[in-house]
Amino acid sequence: MRSGLRHSHTTGCKRWGVCVCLLARDPHASATPRLFCVAAVSNREMAEADAYRRDIERALRDIEEAVGVDRLTAAVHSLRDLLTGEDQPEVGSKLCERLVPPLLRHARSEHTPLCLEAMWSLTNVCASSTAACAATVAHAHFAPTIHLHLDAAEPVLLEQAMWLVGNLLRDEESVYDAVLAADVPRAMGRCAWETLEMPVGITQIAAWALAGLFAGRNREVEQGALPPLTMLFTHSTDEQTLYDAGLGLWQWLLRWGGADTAHSADDEEECARAIFETLGDEDAVAQRVVSMLDASPHVVALGLAERDAVKVHVRAV
């Protein structure tokens, strides 16, 4: 499983949350043992983080010293293993910035296994570090590398390029703008149709990555991304694809669709109505809206009677 698939920066917070629980457990107890417990946990985590960063630095040296494509691929794979996992310590901004140039360089390799390992590693480090995202989009090799893989016929590399772009789009506005400046959205739109002929997991990532464009930051770009996103929504029958594509469509309607659609993004009924009315009243579209609702975590939390009522309402629009 790839770390930070939805670009979460909560790794450190999860660990510090344990300390908060320890502090709050017994408000009448002596402060000394509670503070000692926090210090002990903090010191242990600092030691673990230092050891983890030393492992990363060692893997980076192995990559620099590797001779031959097989050994180089194995070295990058070892780095990727270190970077995979939601509960790993923070890598640190300076180390992240050091990782970006060699990974982007190897991401352009003609040896597919090496290229995949490098792209996967870069995706993981960008998923947990804004510094890595900024260093990636600022690098001269970023745009040609992404376009190379989005335009390629190699599904595994196209998928990994989508993973990387999806994480970048969900980072700071400056990173989002740099992705746009590299003309990446146009390339994403071109290859969206092709993903329908690929394994369903790639179609899911394409929908998720495209939905990342709909952040209310650039109406012209979002409008340009509407056709491929709508195409995925109206041609796919996969629930996760429908949910991510539908969410992107809803974000467009919420921000740019006018006052009559300015409802809460958590209101699935209004979301379904707006998408349904926008795309048309064909039975196939209605069924896809219903499937999107089925995949929604909010609707899953509703009772069966409430869910059925929403579905009936959608079909009746």
Side-chain angles (χ1 to χ4, degrees):
M1 180 178 180
R2 297 163 201 188
S3 63
L5 295 183
R6 293 301 184 264
H7 198 70
S8 170
H9 295 283
T10 58
T11 304
C13 295
K14 288 178 183 176
R15 294 187 172 219
W16 278 105
V18 175
C19 301
V20 172
C21 292
L22 290 170
L23 278 168
R25 182 170 295 172
D26 185 1
H28 302 294
S30 169
T32 302
R34 288 158 62 200
L35 293 175
F36 174 78
C37 183
V38 171
V41 173
S42 177
N43 289 336
R44 184 175 68 251
E45 291 189 347
M46 289 177 62
E48 291 175 354
D50 288 342
Y52 177 65
R53 293 187 187 106
R54 286 195 297 271
D55 289 341
I56 296 289
E57 290 175 344
R58 188 179 301 111
L60 187 55
R61 287 195 301 272
D62 290 343
I63 292 172
E64 294 169 348
E65 297 171 0
V67 177
V69 69
D70 291 336
R71 290 186 177 181
L72 181 55
T73 301
V76 179
H77 175 82
S78 296
L79 174 63
R80 192 255 289 175
D81 279 347
L82 287 170
L83 295 170
T84 300
E86 296 286 352
D87 296 325
Q88 298 287 15
E90 293 287 346
V91 176
S93 58
K94 291 184 178 180
L95 185 52
C96 284
E97 291 170 355
R98 288 175 54 199
L99 291 171
V100 169
L103 290 177
L104 271 175
R105 182 171 66 254
H106 297 310
R108 294 176 59 79
S109 170
E110 294 181 357
H111 184 59
T112 297
L114 172 58
C115 186
L116 176 62
E117 293 292 348
M119 287 289 290
W120 194 334
S121 298
L122 187 61
T123 299
N124 283 1
V125 73
C126 285
S128 60
S129 168
T130 290
C133 290
T136 297
V137 296
H139 199 282
H141 286 169
F142 166 67
T145 300
I146 291 298
H147 283 282
L148 172 68
H149 297 313
L150 289 179
D151 294 339
E154 186 64 56
V156 294
L157 297 180
L158 186 152
E159 176 188 18
Q160 199 57 58
M162 286 286 194
W163 270 123
L164 176 57
V165 171
N167 279 317
L168 294 172
L169 289 172
R170 288 165 172 81
D171 205 273
E172 292 184 345
E173 188 168 357
S174 60
V175 175
Y176 177 96
D177 291 341
V179 173
L180 267 56
D183 201 29
V184 173
R186 192 186 305 273
M188 294 168 65
R190 284 199 306 268
C191 68
W193 179 270
E194 297 175 9
T195 66
L196 290 172
E197 303 298 323
M198 297 179 183
V200 67
I202 302 178
T203 311
Q204 291 173 351
I205 299 308
W208 172 73
L210 279 168
L213 288 167
F214 293 82
R217 293 171 174 171
N218 190 310
R219 178 169 183 165
E220 183 179 356
V221 169
E222 292 182 31
Q223 189 167 15
L226 274 178
L229 194 68
T230 301
M231 179 273 299
L232 289 177
F233 188 84
T234 55
H235 287 78
S236 175
T237 57
D238 170 68
E239 287 190 352
Q240 188 60 53
T241 301
L242 293 173
Y243 179 67
D244 284 323
L247 186 60
L249 292 170
W250 170 235
Q251 294 299 326
W252 164 267
L253 293 167
L254 181 70
R255 293 183 171 95
W256 310 112
D260 58 329
T261 57
H263 303 289
S264 168
D266 290 332
D267 188 336
E268 280 77 21
E269 183 173 336
E270 294 295 345
C271 173
R273 282 173 56 88
I275 294 173
F276 187 81
E277 292 167 356
T278 300
L279 299 183
D281 59 358
E282 295 88 351
D283 289 342
V285 174
Q287 186 56 50
R288 281 167 173 75
V289 173
V290 170
S291 295
M292 188 195 82
L293 290 173
D294 283 336
S296 167
H298 299 289
V299 173
V300 169
L302 295 177
L304 290 176
E306 294 169 299
R307 291 181 65 188
D308 289 343
V310 171
K311 291 181 182 181
V312 169
H313 179 82
V314 171
R315 291 194 177 99
V317 172

